Amino acid sequence: MEEWALCAVLGIGSIQDIKKRQVGWPVILAGLAGAFVFWFRGPAGAGAEEFFLGLIPGAGLAGLAVFSRQAVGFGDALMVAVMGLYTGIRQVWAELMTAGILALAAALILLVIFKKGKKYELPFLPFLLAAHLIMLCI
């Protein structure tokens, strides 16, 4: 059930990211609240240490957002942190790498075939959603 709740949060966030190139706080807060509810509710297996270790990739991405002057969006970093709370550190790393590969492929297609410039902003949350769905199918 947690996986589908995360899909819903990522789906709503993806729509916002595509339309506005930002993720709203209500979506991020709903994702955080859901993660804590699932964690407190019972025996999904992970203790506090594993639960909070899932925040590390999101924190790293937040640092990258600050140093890159938002070339990587802060909302994307917060959503990766939310994903880490739901899935744990190993799965979120795998999903982040998968999303990066998907985004790279899309960027190459946009550059080569559609002649978009290097400054074209590509929303990242849809790739995180796609990566999560791929991992659910594996």
Side-chain angles (χ1 to χ4, degrees):
M1 178 141 163
E2 294 93 354
E3 295 86 8
W4 299 111
L6 180 56
C7 283
V9 169
L10 287 172
I12 293 168
S14 293
I15 292 168
Q16 287 182 348
D17 201 13
I18 290 168
K19 287 184 176 181
K20 300 178 183 178
R21 295 295 193 263
Q22 66 180 13
V23 182
W25 280 105
V27 175
I28 295 167
L29 293 176
L32 283 171
F36 279 99
V37 165
F38 286 123
W39 181 58
F40 282 123
R41 133 184 108 76
E49 183 177 308
E50 178 65 24
F51 181 73
F52 289 109
L53 279 175
L55 292 171
I56 292 173
L61 210 55
L64 184 61
V66 169
F67 288 117
S68 70
R69 295 184 201 141
Q70 293 283 327
V72 174
F74 197 67
D76 296 328
L78 292 175
M79 288 304 291
V80 169
V82 167
M83 288 175 69
L85 291 175
Y86 276 91
T87 64
I89 190 166
R90 288 187 178 105
Q91 174 117 6
V92 76
W93 273 121
E95 291 180 4
L96 187 58
M97 295 301 113
T98 303
I101 291 167
L102 294 171
L104 175 64
L108 289 173
I109 290 169
L110 288 169
L111 280 170
V112 173
I113 296 174
F114 294 102
K115 307 294 185 206
K116 297 287 184 184
K118 289 189 248 180
K119 296 291 182 182
Y120 183 77
E121 291 184 8
L122 195 60
F124 191 59
L125 236 53
F127 299 106
L128 289 172
L129 173 60
H132 184 65
L133 290 172
I134 289 169
M135 292 299 171
L136 285 178
C137 293
I138 293 177

